[in-house]
Amino acid sequence: MHPTSARSYKTLVQLTDSHLFADLNGGMSGVNTQDSLKQVIDQVRVEQDTIDLLLCTGDISQDGSPASYIRFAEMVSTLNAPMRWLAGNHDEGVVLQQVCADKDWLHSVYDLEYWRIVVLDSSIPEQVHGFLAEEQLKALDQSLATAGSRYVLIAVHHHPLPVGSAWMDKIGLHNAEQLLERIALYDNVRAVLCGHVHQTFDQEANGCVG
C-alpha cells in the first residue's frame, strides 16, 4: 500500500508538439508557435504551484534547429522543474542529443518516489509514423523488470492506440502491439502518455489509461 498523505500525490505536466522554429516569427496554420508555447507555460504557472516532473513528449522543434531547442529549454526552465524530453517525427535526433549533451533530459528512466516514468523514442529519421526500435524495447523491458513495487507511466510521442482519425491513425506507432504486449505482462503500468495527435484523447485498456 502506498501512503496517502497530503503530498503523496505527484504532479506531472505534459508539454507536447510545440513545433518551434529558429525564426521567432515561425508558425503553423497561422499560429506563431513560440507565442503559443509561451501562453501554455504561463497557464501552467498559474495552475501549478509545484511540478514534480515536466514531460516534453516530442515535436519540440519543427525545423530541427539548435536555436529552436535552446529557446525551448530557456522557456520551460522558468517552470523550475526537472524534465524529460523525447523526440517526435519533426525533431532532429542528432541536434537534440547535442543540445542535451550535458543534461539528463533524454535519460529514459525517472524514478519519482512511488512512480517510475519511462521515456521511449519512437521517432524514425525522415518518417512521420513511429516505430520502437529493438534497443528501445529492450530498455523498456529492463525498466519494467526493475521497477519493483513502483507504478509505471510510459511516455512516447506516437500514439499506440487508434484515436478515430483515418489519416492520423496511419501515422501512429506502427509496432504498437510490441509495446502493448509488454505492458500486459505487468500489473503496475498505469498510464501511457503520447503527443503527435494534436487533440485530447483518453482511453482505458486493461487497467491502463492512455
Side-chain angles (χ1 to χ4, degrees):
M1 296 292 290
H2 297 307
T4 56
S5 61
R7 270 296 286 157
S8 64
Y9 68 88
K10 299 298 176 185
T11 300
L12 274 66
V13 170
Q14 181 187 15
L15 294 180
T16 195
D17 294 82
S18 53
H19 293 278
L20 294 185
F21 294 79
D23 183 354
L24 296 178
N25 296 315
M28 297 176 62
S29 302
V31 176
N32 182 295
T33 55
Q34 175 168 293
D35 289 347
S36 177
L37 177 60
K38 181 181 183 302
Q39 291 179 44
V40 170
I41 291 172
D42 288 345
Q43 188 63 35
V44 170
R45 193 178 295 107
V46 168
E47 294 182 2
Q48 304 296 340
D49 293 329
T50 301
I51 302 172
D52 295 294
L53 183 64
L54 185 64
L55 275 172
C56 307
T57 52
D59 283 355
I60 292 169
S61 173
Q62 176 68 13
D63 62 8
S65 63
S68 63
Y69 293 116
I70 292 169
R71 191 176 318 115
F72 180 85
E74 290 172 346
M75 293 176 72
V76 298
S77 68
T78 62
L79 294 173
N80 298 312
M83 295 188 288
R84 284 295 184 269
W85 297 12
L86 58 87
N89 49 287
H90 287 283
D91 290 306
E92 289 290 341
V94 173
V95 179
L96 196 58
Q97 291 280 351
Q98 291 170 345
V99 172
C100 299
D102 61 343
K103 308 292 184 182
D104 62 359
W105 300 337
L106 296 179
H107 291 188
S108 61
V109 174
Y110 188 89
D111 286 334
L112 187 60
E113 201 165 348
Y114 304 110
W115 282 87
R116 167 163 287 188
I117 289 79
V118 181
V119 176
L120 301 175
D121 183 354
S122 59
S123 64
I124 311 169
E126 309 301 326
Q127 297 294 328
V128 180
H129 70 271
F131 190 89
L132 291 171
E134 188 62 29
E135 66 267 18
Q136 291 294 309
L137 293 171
K138 287 181 178 179
L140 175 60
D141 289 337
Q142 176 69 12
S143 299
L144 291 174
T146 59
S149 62
R150 295 184 182 91
Y151 300 132
V152 177
L153 180 150
I154 297 170
V156 62
H157 180 68
H158 294 84
H159 53 296
L161 295 174
V163 298
S165 169
W167 73 273
M168 181 59 71
D169 287 336
K170 292 179 181 178
I171 57 172
L173 185 64
H174 277 200
N175 62 335
E177 70 284 351
Q178 292 183 277
L179 171 62
L180 299 176
E181 286 170 0
R182 284 161 168 79
I183 290 174
L185 296 175
Y186 295 86
D187 60 6
N188 58 345
V189 180
R190 290 292 184 266
V192 178
L193 292 182
C194 68
H196 195 47
V197 298
H198 289 232
Q199 59 184 292
T200 301
F201 176 78
D202 298 300
Q203 182 172 335
E204 183 173 344
N206 299 323
C208 181
V209 177

